[in-house]
Amino acid sequence: GLHREELREFFTEQAASEMNHVKQFGDMIVGLGGTPVCLPAGFPDHLTSPTDILDYALTMENQVVENYAERM
């Protein structure tokens, strides 16, 4: 679409930031004597519009916040 370059840059930056969080979390697991295991969750095939994808991403982020809050 019209804003695809801006969105591409935004999502590339977000992905790099998320991968940094994954690495930090893995390092913490190793530091505690564990072995990190990663089984990626699949991404729904039926999401095709940018709005639907962003709504799904927001739902996932809210679940992460809830998980953190439960553990605090």
Side-chain angles (χ1 to χ4, degrees):
L2 178 63
H3 301 289
R4 69 180 176 272
E5 288 301 316
E6 293 95 5
L7 290 173
R8 188 178 126 232
E9 183 178 328
F10 170 77
F11 285 120
T12 299
E13 291 171 4
Q14 292 300 307
S17 175
E18 291 301 320
M19 287 306 298
N20 188 41
H21 292 147
V22 170
K23 182 176 179 340
Q24 290 173 348
F25 189 65
D27 291 345
M28 288 172 55
I29 292 171
V30 170
L32 294 170
T35 302
V37 176
C38 181
L39 301 172
F43 194 82
D45 294 0
H46 66 280
L47 300 176
T48 56
S49 78
T51 302
D52 290 342
I53 292 169
L54 290 173
D55 284 340
Y56 178 77
L58 179 59
T59 298
M60 298 303 293
E61 290 293 330
N62 286 333
Q63 287 180 355
V64 169
V65 170
E66 288 176 21
N67 289 339
Y68 280 136
E70 288 175 10
R71 286 164 176 73
M72 298 307 271

Short mmCIF file of all heavy atoms in Angstrom, two decimals:
data_model
loop_
_atom_site.label_atom_id
_atom_site.label_comp_id
_atom_site.label_asym_id
_atom_site.label_seq_id
_atom_site.Cartn_x
_atom_site.Cartn_y
_atom_site.Cartn_z
N GLY A 1 0.80 -1.17 0.00
CA GLY A 1 0.00 0.00 0.00
C GLY A 1 0.86 1.26 0.00
O GLY A 1 2.07 1.23 -0.16
N LEU A 2 0.23 2.33 0.19
CA LEU A 2 0.85 3.65 0.13
C LEU A 2 1.97 3.80 1.16
O LEU A 2 3.00 4.40 0.87
CB LEU A 2 -0.23 4.72 0.35
CG LEU A 2 0.25 6.17 0.37
CD1 LEU A 2 0.85 6.56 -0.98
CD2 LEU A 2 -0.91 7.09 0.72
N HIS A 3 1.81 3.25 2.34
CA HIS A 3 2.78 3.44 3.42
C HIS A 3 3.66 2.21 3.64
O HIS A 3 4.22 2.04 4.72
CB HIS A 3 2.05 3.79 4.71
CG HIS A 3 1.22 5.04 4.59
ND1 HIS A 3 1.78 6.28 4.50
CD2 HIS A 3 -0.12 5.21 4.50
CE1 HIS A 3 0.82 7.19 4.37
NE2 HIS A 3 -0.34 6.56 4.37
N ARG A 4 3.81 1.37 2.65
CA ARG A 4 4.51 0.11 2.85
C ARG A 4 5.97 0.31 3.25
O ARG A 4 6.48 -0.47 4.06
CB ARG A 4 4.40 -0.77 1.62
CG ARG A 4 5.14 -0.29 0.40
CD ARG A 4 4.95 -1.25 -0.77
NE ARG A 4 5.58 -0.75 -1.95
CZ ARG A 4 5.02 0.05 -2.84
NH1 ARG A 4 3.77 0.43 -2.66
NH2 ARG A 4 5.66 0.47 -3.89
N GLU A 5 6.64 1.31 2.74
CA GLU A 5 8.05 1.52 3.11
C GLU A 5 8.18 1.91 4.58
O GLU A 5 9.05 1.41 5.28
CB GLU A 5 8.71 2.56 2.21
CG GLU A 5 8.96 2.06 0.80
CD GLU A 5 9.84 0.83 0.76
OE1 GLU A 5 10.87 0.79 1.47
OE2 GLU A 5 9.50 -0.10 0.01
N GLU A 6 7.31 2.81 5.05
CA GLU A 6 7.35 3.20 6.45
C GLU A 6 7.01 2.01 7.35
O GLU A 6 7.63 1.80 8.38
CB GLU A 6 6.38 4.35 6.75
CG GLU A 6 6.75 5.66 6.10
CD GLU A 6 6.03 5.87 4.77
OE1 GLU A 6 5.18 5.04 4.41
OE2 GLU A 6 6.33 6.87 4.10
N LEU A 7 6.00 1.24 6.94
CA LEU A 7 5.61 0.08 7.73
C LEU A 7 6.71 -0.98 7.73
O LEU A 7 6.98 -1.60 8.75
CB LEU A 7 4.30 -0.52 7.20
CG LEU A 7 3.06 0.33 7.45
CD1 LEU A 7 1.86 -0.27 6.74
CD2 LEU A 7 2.79 0.47 8.93
N ARG A 8 7.35 -1.17 6.60
CA ARG A 8 8.45 -2.14 6.53
C ARG A 8 9.56 -1.76 7.50
O ARG A 8 10.05 -2.59 8.26
CB ARG A 8 8.98 -2.22 5.10
CG ARG A 8 9.99 -3.34 4.94
CD ARG A 8 10.48 -3.42 3.50
NE ARG A 8 11.91 -3.35 3.60
CZ ARG A 8 12.71 -2.54 2.96
NH1 ARG A 8 12.24 -1.70 2.09
NH2 ARG A 8 14.00 -2.56 3.14
N GLU A 9 9.93 -0.49 7.51
CA GLU A 9 10.96 -0.02 8.42
C GLU A 9 10.53 -0.20 9.88
O GLU A 9 11.30 -0.68 10.72
CB GLU A 9 11.27 1.46 8.14
CG GLU A 9 12.38 2.01 9.00
CD GLU A 9 12.70 3.46 8.66
OE1 GLU A 9 12.56 3.86 7.49
OE2 GLU A 9 13.10 4.20 9.59
N PHE A 10 9.29 0.15 10.17
CA PHE A 10 8.76 0.02 11.53
C PHE A 10 8.82 -1.43 11.99
O PHE A 10 9.31 -1.74 13.08
CB PHE A 10 7.32 0.54 11.59
CG PHE A 10 6.63 0.23 12.88
CD1 PHE A 10 6.90 0.95 14.03
CD2 PHE A 10 5.71 -0.81 12.95
CE1 PHE A 10 6.26 0.65 15.23
CE2 PHE A 10 5.06 -1.11 14.14
CZ PHE A 10 5.35 -0.38 15.29
N PHE A 11 8.31 -2.35 11.16
CA PHE A 11 8.27 -3.75 11.56
C PHE A 11 9.67 -4.37 11.62
O PHE A 11 9.92 -5.23 12.46
CB PHE A 11 7.36 -4.56 10.63
CG PHE A 11 5.90 -4.30 10.89
CD1 PHE A 11 5.08 -3.79 9.92
CD2 PHE A 11 5.35 -4.58 12.13
CE1 PHE A 11 3.73 -3.55 10.16
CE2 PHE A 11 4.01 -4.34 12.40
CZ PHE A 11 3.20 -3.83 11.41
N THR A 12 10.57 -3.92 10.78
CA THR A 12 11.96 -4.40 10.86
C THR A 12 12.58 -4.00 12.18
O THR A 12 13.25 -4.81 12.85
CB THR A 12 12.78 -3.85 9.68
OG1 THR A 12 12.20 -4.31 8.46
CG2 THR A 12 14.23 -4.30 9.75
N GLU A 13 12.37 -2.76 12.61
CA GLU A 13 12.89 -2.30 13.89
C GLU A 13 12.24 -3.06 15.06
O GLU A 13 12.92 -3.43 16.01
CB GLU A 13 12.66 -0.80 14.05
CG GLU A 13 13.50 0.05 13.11
CD GLU A 13 13.10 1.52 13.13
OE1 GLU A 13 12.22 1.92 13.92
OE2 GLU A 13 13.68 2.28 12.33
N GLN A 14 10.94 -3.27 14.97
CA GLN A 14 10.24 -4.00 16.03
C GLN A 14 10.75 -5.43 16.14
O GLN A 14 10.93 -5.95 17.24
CB GLN A 14 8.73 -3.98 15.78
CG GLN A 14 8.10 -2.63 15.93
CD GLN A 14 8.28 -2.07 17.33
OE1 GLN A 14 7.96 -2.71 18.31
NE2 GLN A 14 8.81 -0.86 17.42
N ALA A 15 10.96 -6.08 15.01
CA ALA A 15 11.44 -7.46 15.01
C ALA A 15 12.83 -7.54 15.64
O ALA A 15 13.11 -8.45 16.43
CB ALA A 15 11.46 -8.01 13.59
N ALA A 16 13.70 -6.59 15.32
CA ALA A 16 15.04 -6.59 15.91
C ALA A 16 14.96 -6.40 17.42
O ALA A 16 15.69 -7.06 18.18
CB ALA A 16 15.89 -5.49 15.27
N SER A 17 14.09 -5.53 17.87
CA SER A 17 13.91 -5.30 19.30
C SER A 17 13.40 -6.56 19.99
O SER A 17 13.89 -6.94 21.07
CB SER A 17 12.95 -4.14 19.52
OG SER A 17 12.68 -3.96 20.89
N GLU A 18 12.42 -7.22 19.39
CA GLU A 18 11.87 -8.45 19.98
C GLU A 18 12.91 -9.55 20.03
O GLU A 18 13.00 -10.29 21.01
CB GLU A 18 10.64 -8.91 19.19
CG GLU A 18 9.44 -7.99 19.33
CD GLU A 18 8.98 -7.84 20.78
OE1 GLU A 18 8.96 -8.83 21.53
OE2 GLU A 18 8.63 -6.71 21.15
N MET A 19 13.73 -9.67 19.00
CA MET A 19 14.78 -10.69 19.01
C MET A 19 15.80 -10.42 20.11
O MET A 19 16.33 -11.35 20.72
CB MET A 19 15.48 -10.77 17.65
CG MET A 19 14.62 -11.42 16.58
SD MET A 19 13.99 -13.06 17.04
CE MET A 19 15.48 -13.98 17.23
N ASN A 20 16.05 -9.16 20.39
CA ASN A 20 16.94 -8.81 21.50
C ASN A 20 16.34 -9.27 22.82
O ASN A 20 17.05 -9.81 23.68
CB ASN A 20 17.21 -7.31 21.51
CG ASN A 20 18.27 -6.94 22.52
OD1 ASN A 20 19.27 -7.63 22.67
ND2 ASN A 20 18.05 -5.85 23.23
N HIS A 21 15.03 -9.11 22.99
CA HIS A 21 14.37 -9.58 24.21
C HIS A 21 14.47 -11.10 24.33
O HIS A 21 14.70 -11.63 25.42
CB HIS A 21 12.89 -9.17 24.23
CG HIS A 21 12.68 -7.71 24.38
ND1 HIS A 21 11.63 -7.05 23.80
CD2 HIS A 21 13.37 -6.76 25.05
CE1 HIS A 21 11.70 -5.77 24.09
NE2 HIS A 21 12.75 -5.56 24.85
N VAL A 22 14.30 -11.79 23.21
CA VAL A 22 14.40 -13.25 23.22
C VAL A 22 15.80 -13.67 23.64
O VAL A 22 15.97 -14.59 24.46
CB VAL A 22 14.05 -13.82 21.82
CG1 VAL A 22 14.39 -15.29 21.72
CG2 VAL A 22 12.58 -13.59 21.51
N LYS A 23 16.82 -13.02 23.11
CA LYS A 23 18.20 -13.35 23.47
C LYS A 23 18.44 -13.09 24.96
O LYS A 23 19.05 -13.91 25.64
CB LYS A 23 19.19 -12.55 22.63
CG LYS A 23 20.63 -12.92 22.96
CD LYS A 23 21.61 -12.22 22.06
CE LYS A 23 23.04 -12.55 22.37
NZ LYS A 23 23.39 -13.07 23.64
N GLN A 24 17.98 -11.96 25.46
CA GLN A 24 18.16 -11.65 26.89
C GLN A 24 17.47 -12.70 27.76
O GLN A 24 18.04 -13.15 28.76
CB GLN A 24 17.59 -10.27 27.21
CG GLN A 24 18.39 -9.13 26.63
CD GLN A 24 17.70 -7.79 26.84
OE1 GLN A 24 16.53 -7.70 27.22
NE2 GLN A 24 18.44 -6.71 26.59
N PHE A 25 16.27 -13.10 27.37
CA PHE A 25 15.54 -14.10 28.14
C PHE A 25 16.28 -15.44 28.11
O PHE A 25 16.42 -16.11 29.13
CB PHE A 25 14.12 -14.23 27.58
CG PHE A 25 13.22 -15.08 28.42
CD1 PHE A 25 12.87 -14.68 29.70
CD2 PHE A 25 12.74 -16.28 27.94
CE1 PHE A 25 12.03 -15.46 30.49
CE2 PHE A 25 11.90 -17.06 28.72
CZ PHE A 25 11.56 -16.65 30.00
N GLY A 26 16.76 -15.82 26.93
CA GLY A 26 17.54 -17.05 26.81
C GLY A 26 18.80 -17.01 27.66
O GLY A 26 19.16 -18.00 28.31
N ASP A 27 19.48 -15.88 27.67
CA ASP A 27 20.68 -15.72 28.50
C ASP A 27 20.35 -15.87 29.98
O ASP A 27 21.13 -16.44 30.75
CB ASP A 27 21.34 -14.36 28.24
CG ASP A 27 21.97 -14.25 26.86
OD1 ASP A 27 22.15 -15.30 26.20
OD2 ASP A 27 22.27 -13.12 26.44
N MET A 28 19.18 -15.36 30.39
CA MET A 28 18.77 -15.50 31.78
C MET A 28 18.52 -16.97 32.13
O MET A 28 18.92 -17.44 33.20
CB MET A 28 17.50 -14.68 32.05
CG MET A 28 17.74 -13.19 32.06
SD MET A 28 16.21 -12.22 32.15
CE MET A 28 15.43 -12.86 33.59
N ILE A 29 17.90 -17.70 31.23
CA ILE A 29 17.64 -19.12 31.46
C ILE A 29 18.96 -19.87 31.61
O ILE A 29 19.14 -20.68 32.54
CB ILE A 29 16.78 -19.71 30.33
CG1 ILE A 29 15.38 -19.12 30.39
CG2 ILE A 29 16.74 -21.24 30.41
CD1 ILE A 29 14.51 -19.47 29.19
N VAL A 30 19.89 -19.61 30.71
CA VAL A 30 21.21 -20.25 30.78
C VAL A 30 21.91 -19.87 32.07
O VAL A 30 22.51 -20.71 32.75
CB VAL A 30 22.07 -19.89 29.55
CG1 VAL A 30 23.50 -20.35 29.72
CG2 VAL A 30 21.47 -20.50 28.28
N GLY A 31 21.82 -18.61 32.47
CA GLY A 31 22.45 -18.14 33.70
C GLY A 31 21.90 -18.83 34.94
O GLY A 31 22.59 -18.97 35.95
N LEU A 32 20.67 -19.29 34.86
CA LEU A 32 20.06 -20.01 35.97
C LEU A 32 20.27 -21.53 35.87
O LEU A 32 19.72 -22.29 36.65
CB LEU A 32 18.56 -19.70 36.03
CG LEU A 32 18.22 -18.25 36.38
CD1 LEU A 32 16.72 -17.99 36.16
CD2 LEU A 32 18.61 -17.94 37.82
N GLY A 33 21.08 -21.93 34.88
CA GLY A 33 21.40 -23.35 34.74
C GLY A 33 20.47 -24.12 33.84
O GLY A 33 20.57 -25.35 33.75
N GLY A 34 19.60 -23.45 33.15
CA GLY A 34 18.65 -24.15 32.29
C GLY A 34 19.09 -24.17 30.84
O GLY A 34 20.15 -23.66 30.48
N THR A 35 18.26 -24.76 30.03
CA THR A 35 18.50 -24.81 28.59
C THR A 35 17.28 -24.23 27.90
O THR A 35 16.18 -24.79 28.00
CB THR A 35 18.69 -26.27 28.12
OG1 THR A 35 19.78 -26.84 28.83
CG2 THR A 35 18.95 -26.34 26.63
N PRO A 36 17.45 -23.10 27.22
CA PRO A 36 16.29 -22.50 26.55
C PRO A 36 15.79 -23.40 25.41
O PRO A 36 16.57 -23.98 24.67
CB PRO A 36 16.82 -21.18 26.01
CG PRO A 36 18.27 -21.18 26.20
CD PRO A 36 18.66 -22.33 27.04
N VAL A 37 14.50 -23.51 25.33
CA VAL A 37 13.85 -24.28 24.26
C VAL A 37 12.84 -23.35 23.61
O VAL A 37 12.06 -22.70 24.29
CB VAL A 37 13.14 -25.52 24.83
CG1 VAL A 37 12.40 -26.25 23.72
CG2 VAL A 37 14.12 -26.43 25.52
N CYS A 38 12.88 -23.30 22.31
CA CYS A 38 11.97 -22.40 21.60
C CYS A 38 11.16 -23.19 20.59
O CYS A 38 11.70 -23.77 19.66
CB CYS A 38 12.75 -21.30 20.89
SG CYS A 38 11.68 -20.15 20.03
N LEU A 39 9.87 -23.19 20.82
CA LEU A 39 8.95 -23.77 19.85
C LEU A 39 8.07 -22.63 19.35
O LEU A 39 7.20 -22.15 20.07
CB LEU A 39 8.09 -24.85 20.52
CG LEU A 39 8.86 -26.01 21.14
CD1 LEU A 39 7.92 -26.91 21.92
CD2 LEU A 39 9.58 -26.79 20.06
N PRO A 40 8.35 -22.15 18.14
CA PRO A 40 7.61 -20.98 17.66
C PRO A 40 6.13 -21.27 17.49
O PRO A 40 5.74 -22.35 17.03
CB PRO A 40 8.26 -20.66 16.32
CG PRO A 40 8.92 -21.92 15.90
CD PRO A 40 9.26 -22.68 17.15
N ALA A 41 5.34 -20.31 17.89
CA ALA A 41 3.91 -20.40 17.67
C ALA A 41 3.64 -20.02 16.22
O ALA A 41 4.25 -19.10 15.69
CB ALA A 41 3.17 -19.46 18.61
N GLY A 42 2.77 -20.73 15.59
CA GLY A 42 2.44 -20.42 14.20
C GLY A 42 1.68 -19.11 14.09
O GLY A 42 1.05 -18.66 15.04
N PHE A 43 1.78 -18.52 12.94
CA PHE A 43 1.04 -17.28 12.68
C PHE A 43 -0.20 -17.65 11.87
O PHE A 43 -0.10 -18.40 10.90
CB PHE A 43 1.91 -16.29 11.90
CG PHE A 43 1.35 -14.91 11.87
CD1 PHE A 43 1.54 -14.06 12.94
CD2 PHE A 43 0.62 -14.46 10.80
CE1 PHE A 43 1.02 -12.77 12.94
CE2 PHE A 43 0.09 -13.19 10.77
CZ PHE A 43 0.31 -12.35 11.85
N PRO A 44 -1.36 -17.16 12.26
CA PRO A 44 -2.60 -17.52 11.57
C PRO A 44 -2.57 -17.17 10.08
O PRO A 44 -2.23 -16.04 9.71
CB PRO A 44 -3.67 -16.70 12.28
CG PRO A 44 -3.07 -16.32 13.58
CD PRO A 44 -1.59 -16.25 13.37
N ASP A 45 -2.92 -18.12 9.25
CA ASP A 45 -2.92 -17.91 7.79
C ASP A 45 -4.04 -17.00 7.32
O ASP A 45 -3.94 -16.36 6.28
CB ASP A 45 -3.08 -19.25 7.07
CG ASP A 45 -1.90 -20.17 7.27
OD1 ASP A 45 -0.94 -19.79 7.96
OD2 ASP A 45 -1.95 -21.29 6.72
N HIS A 46 -5.12 -16.95 8.09
CA HIS A 46 -6.29 -16.21 7.64
C HIS A 46 -6.16 -14.70 7.77
O HIS A 46 -7.00 -13.96 7.27
CB HIS A 46 -7.53 -16.69 8.39
CG HIS A 46 -7.51 -16.36 9.85
ND1 HIS A 46 -6.79 -17.11 10.77
CD2 HIS A 46 -8.08 -15.36 10.55
CE1 HIS A 46 -6.95 -16.57 11.97
NE2 HIS A 46 -7.73 -15.52 11.86
N LEU A 47 -5.10 -14.23 8.43
CA LEU A 47 -4.92 -12.79 8.59
C LEU A 47 -4.21 -12.24 7.35
O LEU A 47 -3.05 -12.55 7.11
CB LEU A 47 -4.11 -12.48 9.84
CG LEU A 47 -4.70 -12.96 11.15
CD1 LEU A 47 -3.77 -12.67 12.31
CD2 LEU A 47 -6.05 -12.32 11.40
N THR A 48 -4.91 -11.42 6.60
CA THR A 48 -4.31 -10.89 5.38
C THR A 48 -4.28 -9.37 5.34
O THR A 48 -3.42 -8.79 4.70
CB THR A 48 -5.07 -11.42 4.14
OG1 THR A 48 -6.44 -11.09 4.26
CG2 THR A 48 -4.91 -12.92 4.00
N SER A 49 -5.20 -8.72 6.02
CA SER A 49 -5.21 -7.26 5.98
C SER A 49 -4.30 -6.70 7.07
O SER A 49 -4.15 -7.30 8.14
CB SER A 49 -6.63 -6.71 6.17
OG SER A 49 -7.00 -6.75 7.53
N PRO A 50 -3.66 -5.57 6.81
CA PRO A 50 -2.81 -4.95 7.83
C PRO A 50 -3.54 -4.70 9.15
O PRO A 50 -2.98 -4.89 10.22
CB PRO A 50 -2.36 -3.63 7.19
CG PRO A 50 -2.44 -3.89 5.72
CD PRO A 50 -3.61 -4.82 5.56
N THR A 51 -4.80 -4.31 9.07
CA THR A 51 -5.57 -4.05 10.29
C THR A 51 -5.74 -5.32 11.11
O THR A 51 -5.56 -5.32 12.32
CB THR A 51 -6.95 -3.45 9.94
OG1 THR A 51 -6.75 -2.26 9.18
CG2 THR A 51 -7.74 -3.13 11.18
N ASP A 52 -6.09 -6.42 10.44
CA ASP A 52 -6.25 -7.69 11.15
C ASP A 52 -4.94 -8.16 11.77
O ASP A 52 -4.91 -8.66 12.89
CB ASP A 52 -6.78 -8.77 10.21
CG ASP A 52 -8.22 -8.54 9.79
OD1 ASP A 52 -8.92 -7.75 10.47
OD2 ASP A 52 -8.64 -9.15 8.80
N ILE A 53 -3.85 -7.98 11.04
CA ILE A 53 -2.54 -8.39 11.55
C ILE A 53 -2.16 -7.56 12.77
O ILE A 53 -1.69 -8.09 13.78
CB ILE A 53 -1.46 -8.28 10.45
CG1 ILE A 53 -1.75 -9.33 9.36
CG2 ILE A 53 -0.07 -8.45 11.02
CD1 ILE A 53 -0.92 -9.15 8.10
N LEU A 54 -2.40 -6.25 12.71
CA LEU A 54 -2.09 -5.39 13.85
C LEU A 54 -2.99 -5.68 15.05
O LEU A 54 -2.53 -5.67 16.20
CB LEU A 54 -2.19 -3.92 13.46
CG LEU A 54 -1.09 -3.44 12.52
CD1 LEU A 54 -1.38 -2.01 12.05
CD2 LEU A 54 0.28 -3.51 13.17
N ASP A 55 -4.25 -5.98 14.80
CA ASP A 55 -5.16 -6.37 15.89
C ASP A 55 -4.67 -7.65 16.57
O ASP A 55 -4.67 -7.76 17.80
CB ASP A 55 -6.59 -6.57 15.38
CG ASP A 55 -7.30 -5.26 15.10
OD1 ASP A 55 -6.87 -4.21 15.63
OD2 ASP A 55 -8.31 -5.29 14.37
N TYR A 56 -4.24 -8.60 15.76
CA TYR A 56 -3.71 -9.86 16.30
C TYR A 56 -2.44 -9.59 17.12
O TYR A 56 -2.28 -10.11 18.23
CB TYR A 56 -3.41 -10.83 15.16
CG TYR A 56 -2.81 -12.13 15.63
CD1 TYR A 56 -3.61 -13.10 16.21
CD2 TYR A 56 -1.46 -12.37 15.48
CE1 TYR A 56 -3.06 -14.30 16.64
CE2 TYR A 56 -0.91 -13.57 15.91
CZ TYR A 56 -1.70 -14.53 16.48
OH TYR A 56 -1.16 -15.72 16.91
N ALA A 57 -1.55 -8.75 16.59
CA ALA A 57 -0.31 -8.42 17.31
C ALA A 57 -0.62 -7.74 18.63
O ALA A 57 0.02 -8.02 19.65
CB ALA A 57 0.58 -7.53 16.44
N LEU A 58 -1.61 -6.85 18.64
CA LEU A 58 -2.00 -6.18 19.87
C LEU A 58 -2.55 -7.17 20.89
O LEU A 58 -2.21 -7.11 22.08
CB LEU A 58 -3.04 -5.09 19.58
CG LEU A 58 -3.55 -4.31 20.79
CD1 LEU A 58 -2.40 -3.61 21.50
CD2 LEU A 58 -4.61 -3.32 20.37
N THR A 59 -3.34 -8.11 20.44
CA THR A 59 -3.87 -9.15 21.33
C THR A 59 -2.73 -9.96 21.94
O THR A 59 -2.71 -10.23 23.14
CB THR A 59 -4.83 -10.08 20.56
OG1 THR A 59 -5.93 -9.32 20.08
CG2 THR A 59 -5.33 -11.21 21.44
N MET A 60 -1.75 -10.32 21.12
CA MET A 60 -0.60 -11.09 21.62
C MET A 60 0.21 -10.27 22.64
O MET A 60 0.65 -10.79 23.66
CB MET A 60 0.30 -11.53 20.46
CG MET A 60 -0.40 -12.45 19.46
SD MET A 60 -1.08 -13.95 20.22
CE MET A 60 0.39 -14.77 20.72
N GLU A 61 0.40 -8.99 22.36
CA GLU A 61 1.14 -8.13 23.29
C GLU A 61 0.39 -8.02 24.62
O GLU A 61 1.01 -8.05 25.69
CB GLU A 61 1.35 -6.73 22.70
CG GLU A 61 2.32 -6.69 21.55
CD GLU A 61 3.75 -7.01 21.96
OE1 GLU A 61 4.14 -6.72 23.12
OE2 GLU A 61 4.49 -7.54 21.12
N ASN A 62 -0.92 -7.90 24.57
CA ASN A 62 -1.71 -7.83 25.80
C ASN A 62 -1.58 -9.12 26.60
O ASN A 62 -1.52 -9.09 27.84
CB ASN A 62 -3.17 -7.53 25.49
CG ASN A 62 -3.38 -6.08 25.09
OD1 ASN A 62 -2.62 -5.20 25.48
ND2 ASN A 62 -4.41 -5.84 24.30
N GLN A 63 -1.52 -10.26 25.92
CA GLN A 63 -1.32 -11.53 26.62
C GLN A 63 0.05 -11.57 27.30
O GLN A 63 0.18 -12.08 28.42
CB GLN A 63 -1.46 -12.70 25.66
CG GLN A 63 -2.88 -12.96 25.24
CD GLN A 63 -3.01 -14.13 24.27
OE1 GLN A 63 -2.02 -14.70 23.82
NE2 GLN A 63 -4.24 -14.48 23.96
N VAL A 64 1.06 -11.04 26.65
CA VAL A 64 2.40 -10.98 27.25
C VAL A 64 2.37 -10.13 28.51
O VAL A 64 2.91 -10.52 29.55
CB VAL A 64 3.44 -10.43 26.24
CG1 VAL A 64 4.76 -10.12 26.92
CG2 VAL A 64 3.65 -11.42 25.11
N VAL A 65 1.72 -8.99 28.45
CA VAL A 65 1.62 -8.11 29.62
C VAL A 65 0.89 -8.83 30.76
O VAL A 65 1.33 -8.78 31.92
CB VAL A 65 0.89 -6.79 29.25
CG1 VAL A 65 0.56 -5.99 30.50
CG2 VAL A 65 1.74 -5.97 28.30
N GLU A 66 -0.19 -9.52 30.43
CA GLU A 66 -0.92 -10.28 31.46
C GLU A 66 -0.03 -11.36 32.08
O GLU A 66 -0.06 -11.55 33.30
CB GLU A 66 -2.17 -10.92 30.86
CG GLU A 66 -3.28 -9.93 30.55
CD GLU A 66 -4.47 -10.59 29.86
OE1 GLU A 66 -4.62 -11.83 29.98
OE2 GLU A 66 -5.23 -9.87 29.21
N ASN A 67 0.74 -12.06 31.25
CA ASN A 67 1.65 -13.09 31.76
C ASN A 67 2.69 -12.50 32.71
O ASN A 67 2.97 -13.07 33.76
CB ASN A 67 2.33 -13.84 30.62
CG ASN A 67 1.39 -14.74 29.87
OD1 ASN A 67 0.35 -15.13 30.38
ND2 ASN A 67 1.75 -15.08 28.65
N TYR A 68 3.27 -11.38 32.34
CA TYR A 68 4.25 -10.73 33.20
C TYR A 68 3.61 -10.30 34.52
O TYR A 68 4.17 -10.48 35.60
CB TYR A 68 4.87 -9.49 32.52
CG TYR A 68 5.96 -9.81 31.53
CD1 TYR A 68 5.99 -9.16 30.30
CD2 TYR A 68 6.98 -10.71 31.81
CE1 TYR A 68 6.98 -9.43 29.37
CE2 TYR A 68 7.97 -10.97 30.89
CZ TYR A 68 7.97 -10.33 29.68
OH TYR A 68 8.95 -10.59 28.76
N ALA A 69 2.42 -9.71 34.41
CA ALA A 69 1.73 -9.23 35.61
C ALA A 69 1.41 -10.37 36.57
O ALA A 69 1.55 -10.23 37.79
CB ALA A 69 0.44 -8.49 35.23
N GLU A 70 1.03 -11.52 36.03
CA GLU A 70 0.75 -12.68 36.89
C GLU A 70 2.00 -13.16 37.63
O GLU A 70 1.90 -13.71 38.72
CB GLU A 70 0.19 -13.82 36.05
CG GLU A 70 -1.22 -13.59 35.57
CD GLU A 70 -1.70 -14.71 34.65
OE1 GLU A 70 -1.01 -15.74 34.52
OE2 GLU A 70 -2.77 -14.54 34.05
N ARG A 71 3.14 -12.99 37.01
CA ARG A 71 4.39 -13.50 37.59
C ARG A 71 5.05 -12.51 38.55
O ARG A 71 5.99 -12.84 39.22
CB ARG A 71 5.35 -13.89 36.48
CG ARG A 71 4.92 -15.18 35.80
CD ARG A 71 5.60 -15.38 34.47
NE ARG A 71 5.26 -16.65 33.86
CZ ARG A 71 4.12 -16.96 33.30
NH1 ARG A 71 3.13 -16.07 33.30
NH2 ARG A 71 3.90 -18.11 32.74
N MET A 72 4.55 -11.31 38.59
CA MET A 72 5.14 -10.28 39.48
C MET A 72 4.59 -10.37 40.87
O MET A 72 3.69 -10.80 41.29
CB MET A 72 4.91 -8.88 38.91
CG MET A 72 5.56 -8.67 37.57
SD MET A 72 7.31 -9.06 37.52
CE MET A 72 8.02 -7.54 37.96
#
